Amino acid sequence: MAQRIPGKDDGWGLVGGKLSEEEGGHPLVARVRTHVDPEWAALPYRLTLSVKIKNPAPNGLPNLEEMRSLDELENRITTHIEPDAGAELVLLVSAGGERSIILHVEDETWHARQPAAFADAFGEYEAEVLVHHDPEWTVHSAFAAKAD
């Protein structure tokens, strides 16, 4: 069950929750973009980049050292990927030994046209890439509703 975590108003909200018992019952922490520009409706594909946390704490979340590495990864993505007009970083979820980085992109092949940016951004991490047609932004909306 996700719940709002109070924080500063920087255009991002924090949401806390817990994975189901079938998924291990570990805590879940998410950062979600709370402001969505109407122009982003032209980004109907959800691109999920899942990376394995290298040294998760027993609760499945990253330890402080790895949290810094994952924050650097997020910064590299923002620097190398998001400036492209065809993508926006909208959600980050840490749970169960993984960090999911979720962008909305213009089409299902957007990531394949960014090989250098992805290689540079991910550095030491390998990402599993999943693309879903999601014009209603269902995953983002579910988290954003909890952050409001």
Side-chain angles (χ1 to χ4, degrees), residues 44-146:
Y45 287 86
R46 181 178 71 245
L47 174 65
T48 303
L49 308 165
S50 293
V51 297
K52 294 279 186 205
I53 296 171
K54 293 182 178 200
N55 296 304
N59 66 4
L61 295 175
N63 61 34
L64 186 58
E65 181 180 327
E66 189 157 14
M67 182 61 82
R68 287 185 191 115
S69 293
L70 291 167
D71 288 347
E72 289 172 11
L73 170 59
E74 176 190 338
N75 289 338
R76 288 191 304 267
I77 289 170
T78 302
T79 300
H80 295 289
I81 297 174
E82 191 174 336
D84 180 288
E88 289 292 336
L89 177 64
V90 298
L91 179 63
L92 300 145
V93 180
S94 295
E98 290 188 5
R99 165 73 64 95
S100 293
I101 301 154
I102 300 168
L103 299 96
H104 264 267
V105 299
E106 61 191 357
D107 62 50
E108 67 266 66
T109 64
W110 180 87
H111 66 287
R113 297 190 311 267
Q114 315 295 322
F118 272 77
D120 187 37
F122 281 91
E124 66 195 75
Y125 288 95
E126 287 187 37
E128 178 183 0
V129 179
L130 301 169
V131 181
H132 293 93
H133 188 241
D134 183 12
E136 302 299 319
W137 289 44
T138 56
V139 173
H140 171 269
S141 297
F143 280 92
K146 302 291 184 188

